[in-house]
């Protein structure tokens, strides 16, 4: 089968910037090593491929201007509509399931060290429908960012601080949108389960040894295994393997990375070990999956 050489918006490492720049016909958008600002999504909408997993290297804040899309983020489905705000943490795996022809967004993608320690972006996506006034406020942030970024000799720190201000506003909006939960007694097992899944999701390539997670949570491996099994019905290795396969699929579908290198990055071993691991969990070899998704 002849390979389709058409460009598409697949997000893995820095390829989003390289690919989107090819379609930025009107110069409405901005791309750098740490920030991408999408003010006009229209040149790219027809290039999006449905059903192919991709991994986001950056944190993202998306404001839907019009149209709809249905997207799966780390096993959760979301339908985004006009006026919806969506925050996607770095290292998420996305699968576009549907998208209207008129879909258009504002989007800021960034990886800024100062933000990592503020607790403004949890390693769990957040989705909310904005009121007209809140939507206007968020849109003004995007337009101010556009003005700052496109001004020559703009101080990078001023851009970073404006993004941080946007995140504080988004965090406040999300807290207001979540119904208050009556106080309950602390649930230690729930804290452990949430801590385990957070550790799993925040890693670019998840650790495959239980010691890593148990040590970070200050508990024993046995206690961690018991809690995860009780809370989810799955073992810790089930969770780790599912995350590993999802990332492997994203890399196979969205890059030309060698099979051996993918296995090495995911801590699986050499190429033959990775092929066995992937086929065991998906029923097909990495090359078969790659060909099918291309």
């Amino acid at each position: 089968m002849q390979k389709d050489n058409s460009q598409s918006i697949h997000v893995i490492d820095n390829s989003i910037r390289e690919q989107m720049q090819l379609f930025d016909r009107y110069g409405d958008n901005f791309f750098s090593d740490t920030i991408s600002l999408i003010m006009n999504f229209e040149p790219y909408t027809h290039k999006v491929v449905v059903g192919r997993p991709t991994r986001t290297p950056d944190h993202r804040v998306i404001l839907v201007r019009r149209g709809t899309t249905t997207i799966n983020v780390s096993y959760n489905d979301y339908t985004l509509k006009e006026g919806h705000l969506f925050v996607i943490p770095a290292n998420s795996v996305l699968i576009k399931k549907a998208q209207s022809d008129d879909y258009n967004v504002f989007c800021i993608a960034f990886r800024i060290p100062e933000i990592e320690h503020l607790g403004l972006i949890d390693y769990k996506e957040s989705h909310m429908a904005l009121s007209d006034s809140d939507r206007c406020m968020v849109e003004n942030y995007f337009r101010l960012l556009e003005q700052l970024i496109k001004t020559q000799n703009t101080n990078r720190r001023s851009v970073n601080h404006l993004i941080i201000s946007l995140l504080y506003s988004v965090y406040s909006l999300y807290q207001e949108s979540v119904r208050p939960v009556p106080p309950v007694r602390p649930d230690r097992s729930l804290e452990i389960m949430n801590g385990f899944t957070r550790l799993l999701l925040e890693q670019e390539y998840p650790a495959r040894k239980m010691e890593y997670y148990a040590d970070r949570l200050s508990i024993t491996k046995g206690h961690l295994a018991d809690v995860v099994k009780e809370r989810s019905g799955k073992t810790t290795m089930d969770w780790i393997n599912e995350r590993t396969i999802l990332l492997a699929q994203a890399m196979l579908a969205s890059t030309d990375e060698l099979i051996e290198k993918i296995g090495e990055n995911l801590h699986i071993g050499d190429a033959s070990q990775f092929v066995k691991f992937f086929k065991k969990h998906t029923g097909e070899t990495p090359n078969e999956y790659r060909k099918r998704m291309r």
Side-chain angles (χ1 to χ4, degrees):
M1 180 182 296
Q2 186 177 2
K3 181 179 177 180
D4 180 6
N5 291 319
S6 63
Q7 295 288 345
S8 56
I9 305 177
H10 296 311
V11 183
I12 196 83
D13 299 330
N14 290 321
S15 62
I16 180 176
R17 297 177 179 88
E18 298 170 1
Q19 293 171 5
M20 282 188 167
Q21 279 177 293
L22 293 175
F23 302 106
D24 192 16
R25 298 179 302 204
Y26 310 111
D28 296 315
N29 309 306
F30 174 84
F31 308 94
S32 74
D33 290 340
T34 57
I35 297 172
S36 294
L37 180 67
I38 308 299
M39 298 297 289
N40 183 0
F41 192 75
E42 288 173 344
Y44 321 121
T45 52
H46 66 292
K47 301 294 181 181
V48 174
V49 176
V50 171
R52 184 180 293 178
T54 59
R55 179 171 59 84
T56 60
D58 330 88
H59 303 300
R60 299 190 185 178
V61 180
I62 298 170
L63 175 63
V64 181
R65 301 171 69 185
R66 63 178 178 269
T68 62
T69 188
T70 300
I71 189 170
N72 182 282
V73 182
S74 300
Y75 301 113
N76 299 308
D77 283 344
Y78 299 91
T79 296
L80 309 184
K81 303 177 181 179
E82 182 177 344
H84 284 199
L85 187 68
F86 198 42
V87 180
I88 305 175
N91 299 326
S92 296
V93 176
L94 317 179
I95 301 175
K96 184 78 69 173
K97 305 185 84 171
Q99 184 169 290
S100 65
D101 292 338
D102 61 341
Y103 183 63
N104 190 275
V105 301
F106 287 143
C107 175
I108 179 75
F110 54 90
R111 201 66 192 264
I112 301 171
E114 299 96 306
I115 291 175
E116 304 296 325
H117 309 293
L118 293 176
L120 295 174
I121 292 187
D122 196 3
Y123 277 83
K124 178 72 174 69
E125 61 279 0
S126 57
H127 173 220
M128 70 195 93
L130 299 181
S131 66
D132 289 343
S133 59
D134 289 337
R135 175 182 175 178
C136 183
M137 181 267 292
V138 173
E139 185 169 326
N140 284 338
Y141 269 109
F142 278 98
R143 297 197 181 279
L144 183 53
L145 279 166
E146 180 186 34
Q147 293 176 19
L148 274 179
I149 286 174
K150 292 188 175 182
T151 300
Q152 290 186 346
N153 301 320
T154 295
N155 187 305
R156 176 64 61 84
R157 188 173 295 275
S158 65
V159 174
N160 290 359
H161 281 301
L162 185 55
I163 292 175
I164 290 173
S165 178
L166 167 62
L167 292 178
Y168 271 113
S169 297
V170 169
Y171 180 81
S172 177
L173 291 174
Y174 184 69
Q175 292 300 109
E176 292 175 5
S177 71
V178 178
R179 290 183 179 181
V181 178
V184 296
R185 295 178 59 184
D187 187 336
R188 177 57 179 157
S189 69
L190 180 59
E191 291 177 359
I192 291 172
M193 185 69 208
N194 289 341
F196 169 69
T197 55
R198 178 188 171 90
L199 288 171
L200 188 61
L201 293 174
E202 71 183 9
Q203 298 174 85
E204 184 176 12
Y205 303 112
R208 296 193 56 76
K209 293 185 178 180
M210 282 182 58
E211 288 88 348
Y212 170 82
Y213 304 96
D215 289 346
R216 294 287 299 274
L217 295 169
S218 301
I219 58 176
T220 66
K221 291 191 300 179
H223 187 36
L224 174 61
D226 290 343
V227 168
V228 171
K229 183 67 174 177
E230 180 182 352
R231 300 287 318 196
S232 69
K234 299 188 293 188
T235 68
T236 52
M237 284 311 302
D238 288 338
W239 280 88
I240 294 169
N241 286 337
E242 286 179 6
R243 176 67 174 168
T244 301
I245 286 295
L246 198 57
L247 290 171
Q249 289 174 328
M251 285 186 276
L252 289 166
S254 305
T255 75
D256 293 319
E257 193 78 74
L258 295 175
I259 301 298
E260 180 179 4
K261 184 63 175 177
I262 294 175
E264 179 183 326
N265 287 340
L266 292 171
H267 314 299
I268 302 297
D270 59 23
S272 63
Q273 289 175 305
F274 175 62
V275 170
K276 290 178 182 177
F277 172 83
F278 192 87
K279 187 168 185 178
K280 174 183 176 182
H281 290 279
T282 67
E284 56 188 342
T285 67
N287 278 328
E288 289 170 343
Y289 178 80
R290 174 172 270 171
K291 289 179 181 179
R292 182 167 62 83
M293 297 307 297
R294 296 294 179 90

